[in-house]
Amino acid sequence: MKINIFHMYPDLLNLYGDIGNIISLKKRCEWRGIEAEIVDFSISNERDVNDADIFFMGGGSDRGQGIVYSHFLKYKNSVSDAIEDGSVFLAICGGYQLLGESYIDADGNKIPGLGVFDYTTESEEGRLIGNVVIENNLGLKPRTIVGFENHGGRTYHNYDAFGSVRVGNGNNGKDGLEGMIYKNCIGTYLHGPILPKNPHLSDHIILSALKRKYDIKELEKLDDTQEYAAHNNVLDLYAGGRSTE
Ligand code: GLN
């Protein structure tokens, strides 16, 4: 049993420890005896995206995003088909913005995105920065997902949200929604890195890929004492934060 984890543009999109997400996926597979190959995909190392079981795309500066966006546009159809076909995709912040129609950066430049989804993102006055706690809409227990956001872009859409905001800002700081979900694709503003602090989300991503490829229905349980200590530490910063479910 083997899954291929495509790390998209690791040299250009890696803010706030996003690489920790790749390590979390790989380790949680290995601890269960599942082979996980990390495939770095970038401008100087293009790979066949059809080989990906999981795509991971991190966040970046406006400059890094501009470079990635213009290079990745030619993959619009193949990425869109892969997502329709149930490939797993975790897109953080700049990566999440990229899956939409466009991103208007802090200088007012309109950077075309892949347009896999019909949302747009526009940078507004004041960055949205800080810890975030959401209640996820994936049905995962515990319901809380913790992370850290730092973005100038505001995203509005009509897709299902990844979660509702309990602490922080999320998509735009106004509608109380965070991220988006469509099939096995999750877009979110949560860095963190998000996966080490939310092992239930990490396992959801691994299991979604294994279900699709091998019809695996459940994962062996791991000892997540350390991971949930990190998770609960964020919840404890906010009164009444811990999930009882
Ligand atoms: N440059 C984008 C913004 O400010 C994305 C930032 C990020 O990926 N953290 O909205």
Side-chain angles (χ1 to χ4, degrees):
M1 211 155 40
K2 180 185 170 203
I3 53 174
N4 295 321
I5 303 171
F6 270 45
H7 190 181
M8 308 305 288
Y9 303 94
D11 46 344
L12 292 162
L13 299 179
N14 180 25
L15 285 182
Y16 315 114
D18 284 338
I19 198 163
N21 295 316
I22 292 288
I23 296 168
S24 170
L25 291 172
K26 186 169 169 61
K27 284 289 172 201
R28 296 183 75 79
C29 284
E30 284 175 359
W31 289 332
R32 297 173 164 116
I34 301 163
E35 198 183 334
E37 184 178 341
I38 309 302
V39 178
D40 286 346
F41 177 107
S42 201
I43 294 173
S44 57
N45 192 29
E46 293 182 57
R47 308 290 293 264
D48 184 351
V49 292
N50 294 309
D51 292 339
D53 298 305
I54 299 175
F55 292 91
F56 171 74
M57 196 164 206
S61 63
D62 282 4
R63 186 185 154 274
Q65 265 175 273
I67 299 169
V68 168
Y69 280 32
S70 55
H71 182 258
F72 202 37
L73 276 185
K74 62 186 172 189
Y75 287 94
K76 175 189 162 96
N77 291 338
S78 29
V79 170
S80 192
D81 290 350
I83 289 175
E84 274 305 322
D85 192 47
S87 289
V88 181
F89 206 123
L90 176 63
I92 312 278
C93 202
Y96 165 37
Q97 295 168 349
L98 167 95
L99 295 178
E101 298 282 356
S102 61
Y103 169 58
I104 300 173
D105 72 15
D107 296 325
N109 304 309
K110 183 169 179 171
I111 310 173
L114 286 195
V116 174
F117 303 114
D118 65 3
Y119 54 78
T120 56
T121 301
E122 186 160 357
S123 192
E124 290 177 17
E125 207 46 45
R127 297 189 67 78
L128 305 178
I129 305 173
N131 286 316
V132 185
V133 179
I134 66 165
E135 300 212 345
N136 80 82
N137 290 336
L138 292 167
L140 305 179
K141 299 280 173 71
R143 286 211 63 197
T144 46
I145 304 276
V146 302
F148 174 80
E149 65 183 336
N150 184 349
H151 53 111
R154 273 56 164 187
T155 306
Y156 298 88
H157 63 69
N158 294 315
Y159 295 90
D160 289 335
F162 174 38
S164 49
V165 176
R166 201 198 265 188
V167 175
N169 294 284
N171 283 338
N172 46 57
K174 293 186 186 114
D175 62 16
L177 300 176
E178 207 300 307
M180 62 89 64
I181 40 183
Y182 176 81
K183 296 194 173 181
N184 284 329
C185 175
I186 301 172
T188 177
Y189 274 109
L190 273 56
H191 299 270
I194 185 173
L195 296 183
K197 291 181 186 171
N198 298 284
H200 47 324
L201 178 62
S202 206
D203 281 356
H204 170 78
I205 286 170
I206 294 167
L207 185 58
S208 301
L210 290 174
K211 251 188 208 156
R212 177 169 175 265
K213 194 166 187 181
Y214 298 110
D215 202 24
I216 299 289
K217 303 233 171 2
E218 62 182 353
L219 290 176
E220 188 188 317
K221 289 235 173 311
L222 298 175
D223 175 0
D224 287 325
T225 312
Q226 299 292 336
E227 288 80 359
Y228 282 116
H231 181 98
N232 290 331
N233 191 49
V234 178
L235 298 185
D236 287 346
L237 293 172
Y238 306 95
R242 251 184 226 212
S243 180
T244 48
E245 292 170 73

